[in-house]
Amino acid sequence: MWPIGYIIESAYSPLHLERETSDRNWRDAFEDLLALDAGRDMIHPANRKAEDDKAAETRYKYANDFLQTSNMMQRERLKFQAFQMKTRQALVEDGQTKQVAALDHRILAFIKSEIETKAAEAQAVKTAFEAHRDAKASRLKSAGLWMTSLITNGAAPGWSSFTSNSVGGPVVSFRRDEPPELAVDMSFSESELEAILEKREYQLGVPYALPSRLVDHVTNGEARRTTGRLAVGLIKRYLPSPSSILTQYAYAEPIRLRDGSIGAKAIIKNQLAGREEEVKEFVEEPSKVFEEMVIARCSMATVGETVVERMQGPKTSVQEEMDAFMEARDD
């Protein structure tokens, strides 16, 4: 199980220690120890800086994009609120008290709640951005993403990671095939990993919830949940675009560098929605590997949102809905 199992289970793993003492970068120190144990040099400071710079660039980009979109939508809500207030004033002047009460209760209250909620979300993004402005790339990664980077950096030889898409979000599988007697294969969603690290109860392999409207038509209301396999089938049917990333396979191979030291060549294989496989290789370029992983996860998040939206969208008939569901199940 070393080192992936240790990271998850041991009280002395960096993911546990950082919850007790957050003022030290346990992750980078642990990765250096793993690199030495694997027979290679510690991670070069220039590589760490490049990854930190890429993380800062990515963090700014997504925060800025979110805030710009949020501000644009907020302006539209305020315009709609102003229009409804004019409508309300006209109703008041006309003495239509019942319509005024309905407008206040059904529309204006909802608009106000939406404006306040979205403003709070935007402020939360700003606060989080400022709080992590100078954070190291390793500290910004989710648990699953960080463990995957250990593999691609050559600090966990023999291991590979496989990130797959699902309605419930990305699921990361860690695998080691050699030696055969110590072969390991474990899979977690990020929420399950967090539950483990926070010592909360959880259950592996819980099926992903699908919209009850869709499931009820197929099961006559008897089932509210379905298997992860079926969820993946639905994702295949309701893909946003052929370039969407469905899965990402990552591993590393040792390589001798020009200075004679041992480095790592990271291999990333993305399975695209159009059934094509995209293969990329990076030699001692953790910043580019980090960028590839972020792109894949964002693509998977977009797929998940689109799948749910399309599954819940209107169908021409119940039969069409059933056909789509059964076809996805058979994929």
Side-chain angles (χ1 to χ4, degrees):
M1 295 285 282
W2 173 264
I4 301 299
Y6 177 89
I7 292 171
I8 296 172
E9 298 174 356
S10 174
Y12 298 101
S13 90
L15 297 184
H16 287 283
L17 290 174
E18 68 188 15
R19 282 167 163 72
E20 301 172 6
T21 310
S22 60
D23 60 340
R24 294 189 60 182
N25 193 335
W26 297 99
R27 297 188 182 191
D28 285 354
F30 186 77
E31 184 175 9
D32 284 336
L33 290 174
L34 287 181
L36 293 172
D37 186 55
R40 58 162 298 178
D41 293 338
M42 293 188 295
I43 308 302
H44 197 282
N47 287 344
R48 288 218 189 277
K49 184 179 185 307
E51 189 177 31
D52 291 342
D53 290 343
K54 177 58 67 176
E57 175 189 323
T58 302
R59 187 167 63 253
Y60 174 81
K61 177 184 181 301
Y62 286 107
N64 186 61
D65 289 351
F66 176 89
L67 291 173
Q68 283 190 353
T69 302
S70 177
N71 289 339
M72 179 185 68
M73 296 179 68
Q74 196 75 314
R75 286 193 293 271
E76 293 302 316
R77 293 187 191 96
L78 290 170
K79 288 180 182 177
F80 185 64
Q81 183 186 48
F83 173 78
Q84 294 299 329
M85 289 300 295
K86 289 182 179 179
T87 301
R88 183 184 188 280
Q89 182 61 34
L91 292 172
V92 169
E93 293 173 356
D94 200 33
Q96 300 186 44
T97 56
K98 186 178 292 186
Q99 286 84 345
V100 169
L103 185 64
D104 287 344
H105 178 69
R106 295 179 182 178
I107 298 179
L108 288 174
F110 173 76
I111 296 174
K112 180 182 177 182
S113 175
E114 279 286 288
I115 291 173
E116 292 175 349
T117 299
K118 299 306 178 182
E121 288 179 359
Q123 185 58 50
V125 169
K126 292 179 184 178
T127 302
F129 175 78
E130 291 299 328
H132 297 91
R133 179 183 288 274
D134 300 318
K136 296 289 185 180
S138 57
R139 287 302 303 271
L140 294 172
K141 297 173 184 175
S142 62
L145 191 59
W146 177 67
M147 288 191 285
T148 297
S149 70
L150 293 180
I151 294 171
T152 56
N153 286 346
W159 285 86
S160 63
S161 74
F162 183 79
T163 306
S164 57
N165 207 347
S166 70
V167 173
V171 174
V172 187
S173 300
F174 298 101
R175 184 183 182 92
R176 186 184 65 193
D177 295 320
E178 299 291 342
E181 65 274 12
L182 296 177
V184 179
D185 190 351
M186 58 183 80
S187 299
F188 308 91
S189 67
E190 291 288 358
S191 59
E192 287 167 344
L193 278 171
E194 284 300 313
I196 294 171
L197 297 169
E198 295 176 7
K199 298 180 174 57
R200 290 187 280 108
E201 291 187 4
Y202 73 100
Q203 182 180 352
L204 287 177
V206 176
Y208 300 109
L210 295 178
S212 58
R213 170 176 170 269
L214 180 63
V215 178
D216 285 349
H217 284 319
V218 178
T219 62
N220 296 321
E222 296 177 0
R224 291 285 177 176
R225 302 179 76 83
T226 187
T227 65
R229 179 172 175 270
L230 180 56
V232 172
L234 286 164
I235 282 175
K236 289 180 179 178
R237 179 173 179 82
Y238 293 103
L239 289 167
S241 73
S243 63
S244 299
I245 298 176
L246 291 185
T247 65
Q248 185 175 75
Y249 179 57
Y251 62 100
E253 296 176 350
I255 186 172
R256 189 169 293 279
L257 304 177
R258 292 182 178 180
D259 61 3
S261 62
I262 302 298
K265 178 173 71 174
I267 297 95
I268 305 292
K269 297 182 179 180
N270 295 324
Q271 184 66 47
L272 305 182
R275 300 186 182 277
E276 296 178 359
E277 184 178 68
E278 182 182 61
V279 181
K280 299 184 179 182
E281 297 182 355
F282 305 94
V283 176
E284 294 292 293
E285 295 180 297
S287 63
K288 292 185 179 180
V289 175
F290 173 76
E291 184 176 25
E292 285 297 318
M293 292 179 180
V294 171
I295 289 172
R297 296 235 172 172
C298 289
S299 177
M300 291 181 186
T302 301
V303 168
E305 292 169 0
T306 305
V307 167
V308 172
E309 178 183 343
R310 293 189 182 179
M311 285 193 301
Q312 293 176 328
K315 298 290 190 301
T316 57
S317 67
V318 170
Q319 185 60 49
E320 181 183 337
E321 202 162 75
M322 290 176 64
D323 291 343
F325 191 89
M326 299 305 289
E327 181 180 333
R329 185 188 65 178
D330 295 334
D331 283 346

